[in-house]
Amino acid sequence: MRATANRNAGRLLAATALLPALLCAIPARAQDRLPLVPQPSAITRTAGSFTIANGATITADASDTGAAAAARLLIAHVKTERGLALQTSPKGTIRFVRDAAIKGAEAYRLTVDASGAKITASGDAGLLYGAMTLAQLISPDRAFGQPFRIPAVTIDDAPRFGWRGLMVDTARHFQSLPSIYAIVDQMASVKLNTLHLHLSDDQGWRFEVKAYPKLTEIGSIRTSPSTGEKPGTRVGGFYTQDELRKLVAYAAERGIVIVPEIDLPGHAQALVAAYPDLGVIGDTPEVSNAWGVNPYLFNPGPKGIAFVKTVLDELMAVFPGTYIHLGGDEAVKDQWERSPEVQAQMAKLGIKDENGLQSWMIDQFGTYLASKKRRLIGWDEILEGGLPASASVMSWRGEKGAVEAANQNHDVVLSPAPTLYFDSLQSDRRDEPPGRLSIQSLATVYNYEPMPAGIGPDKAQHVLGAQANLWSEYIVTPYQMQHLIFPRAAALAEITWSGKDKRDFAGFLDRVQPQIQRWRKSGLEVADSAFAVGYTLDGTHGDALRTNRAKVVLATQAPYGTIRYTLDGKVPTARSPAYTAPLSVKPGVSIRAAAFDASGQPVAEPRLFETGRQALLTRTASDMIACPEGSLGLRLPLTSEAQGNAPVFNADIFDTCTAYPAAPIDVAKGFTIDIARLPRNWGLAHDFKKVRQHYNVTPHGELLVLVDCTVKGAKPVIAGTFPLPDPKTAPTRFTVKGALPAITGDRDICLQFTSPTSDPFYAVERMTLSETR
Ligand code: ACM
């Protein structure tokens, strides 16, 4: 389930121009270390070089719109990413040439020699990708604005897969057009070619349908939950068809096709809110503000089928690509099961169960799309009632759906959760913004192989490619969206474009650095999570406090660069001591560290680790562990619409309990707990029975502070019971203070809320232990 837990200081210091040299050649390294992502099919280094300086000239036949577009994009990328102004000229040294002998619309040859650079391709996309490769060759980020010498090379390149996709959910949180444009620009730079827009869900309908204006008048706006800083805020938005046509054209110029998704028959509450007679039970729900799975279903009676065909007509008029996505996921069928009208329709059609009805419905639309020379794709649930011949499958519940469908000769796209769910955090760092807590690192994405083992070579052609999905329940701002997409998009690009034999994570780490710099120069937020220094104590916090000595281990998630540190609070430089072994420090020292690449550039923002006694006694929400029965599945923001990246709360949404791990309870005498009240806005459908009810004994429930709560068989010691204030009148955040019992050693302390499960959800922001009462 998308929303639920049980399913799974500034920017980088601008890389300063340390090298004063006027000409910077790419260092003579292994040929696979040209600064290219994704890695091309074949690179042949030849003798000589070609220097590009301000005013370098490009020739593209003005009557060749594809070549002219590729030239424009090359000029734009090189200007932004390398600070060099190229210009068009009839006798340019950079040339775009059509050649039908280069097979494949996306294939190209790039030749660089002393006379210039030549990009040869048969298709528009090939010319564009040749241009993007050349832009990458020109733009390692050093000596910005200075002339640049490219070593002579011939690159022959073509993609492994035709579907290299990214999905953006703009239904849960509406994402502005400029933020979508920014993503389109940067998908093109790494040769991703499919943008799937999730345009409708329970929480919003984002596509203007002229025949059904209430879809956006009513369905695009929702009211925020009653718990939060601004309860009742109206939020939303939609795109007009004109806006989307412009976006489609802009994307097409960048080699990107947009696949629109309207989600049916589940995830349809916004549709039913706008047109209740297209629902099943006849009532008028609100546009939902609860994430997850909600019960409202679309009614596939004659009126509903006609409605969808009209919507499809309007979608097809805006989106010219082959595929239209019609959802099909997570439709709990209770409303269909209990509707006499739907049951009568099933009887009339001779359909035996609700999955069969979903299958019939998908086929109605698949056949309709096929009659217009288009194709339907849906989430893998559409397999459940028998997959209609007209449908292709996007496999998200692992790879099973893809294997089954491909073996039945259907085309498939791999987007398995959790690996390719980009709303999953990429590290367990405290400073990650909200998302799912199932960590999918840069390496995890890079190591994903989109051709499942269960698909034989004779069916391999049915694997169109792979796609990452960015669901937006907890993603509100462009910063948050970009942070989750980049740099993992580079790994996605490489696993979908480059041959399997080209997979080389160490080489990728080297090649992705200049791409990160290019993206930052373009104004994107790019996460440095894989390269930032993280700190762990060798031993417990209690050991450090008792011995007055902290042994601190420094590491980066991805093995890249040399970690350098300071102990005086200063920003580390390439001359700071290199980390070679755990640092043994007296509590109170501030450690600040960053990894540096071979040329002395920092590859992440330096991170600070405080070893003071108070810091060692404090745990924030993201340091909490699960209470024994639970699991922490989500990192939640304070409110549904919160735009900040902090505070965040690691939470088990089935139980309002988290634990302070290994609290040094013999050192600590008292505690302060900062508490936040969050909305409990999850549609849990049949999983609601998993929500733990703890029975309150005071009107609004209590916070129980329980020592030794995670020891099997032991009865926890109650260190405090704090009645919770009235949620209608108390502030959203409040504090309780208490004393700890005299117990020795390091003990887990559970913080269990017993409030009613209707609403709200309580979470711990911070627990601070004190050495005095
Ligand atoms: C999905 O995550 N429900 C496709």
Side-chain angles (χ1 to χ4, degrees), residues 335-369:
Q335 290 192 347
W336 281 5
E337 284 164 12
R338 290 181 224 162
S339 157
E341 184 192 337
V342 172
Q343 291 300 317
Q345 184 187 4
M346 285 168 55
K348 196 162 147 210
L349 292 167
I351 290 172
K352 72 173 190 327
D353 63 16
E354 289 70 24
N355 284 340
L357 182 63
Q358 172 156 331
S359 177
W360 173 86
M361 181 197 90
I362 289 291
D363 195 31
Q364 298 302 298
F365 306 140
T367 305
Y368 185 68
L369 287 171

Side-chain angles (χ1 to χ4, degrees), residues 370-393:
S371 76
K372 312 273 177 192
K373 308 243 172 323
R374 304 295 190 97
R375 299 181 73 185
L376 181 149
I377 190 164
W379 300 111
D380 57 56
E381 284 91 336
I382 66 172
L383 277 154
E384 283 167 357
L387 188 58
S390 54
S392 302
V393 168

Side-chain angles (χ1 to χ4, degrees), residues 577-602:
Y579 172 79
T580 53
L583 305 175
S584 178
V585 298
K586 214 167 141 53
V589 167
S590 301
I591 309 175
R592 207 182 276 272
F596 291 76
D597 69 13
S599 71
Q601 301 293 318

Side-chain angles (χ1 to χ4, degrees), residues 1-2 7 263 267 329-330 379 381 396 417 421 436 469 471:
M1 291 173 34
R2 286 201 287 253
R7 194 186 61 187
D263 205 348
H267 290 290
D329 58 322
E330 299 182 311
W379 300 111
E381 284 91 336
W396 74 277
Y421 269 40
R436 288 171 211 262
N469 298 331
W471 299 103

Side-chain angles (χ1 to χ4, degrees), residues 73 77 168 175-189 195 197 239-254 256 258 478 481-482 486 522 524:
L73 288 171
H77 278 262
V168 171
Q175 306 292 338
S176 70
L177 274 172
S179 71
I180 304 279
Y181 275 89
I183 286 172
V184 166
D185 280 334
Q186 301 311 329
M187 285 174 70
S189 65
L195 175 64
L197 290 179
Y239 313 113
T240 66
Q241 294 192 4
D242 280 349
E243 286 171 332
L244 289 169
R245 273 199 190 88
K246 287 191 186 112
L247 177 67
V248 163
Y250 185 89
E253 202 173 289
R254 286 151 183 79
I256 294 167
I258 301 190
M481 188 161 49
Q482 292 168 11
F486 304 99
S522 309
L524 280 193

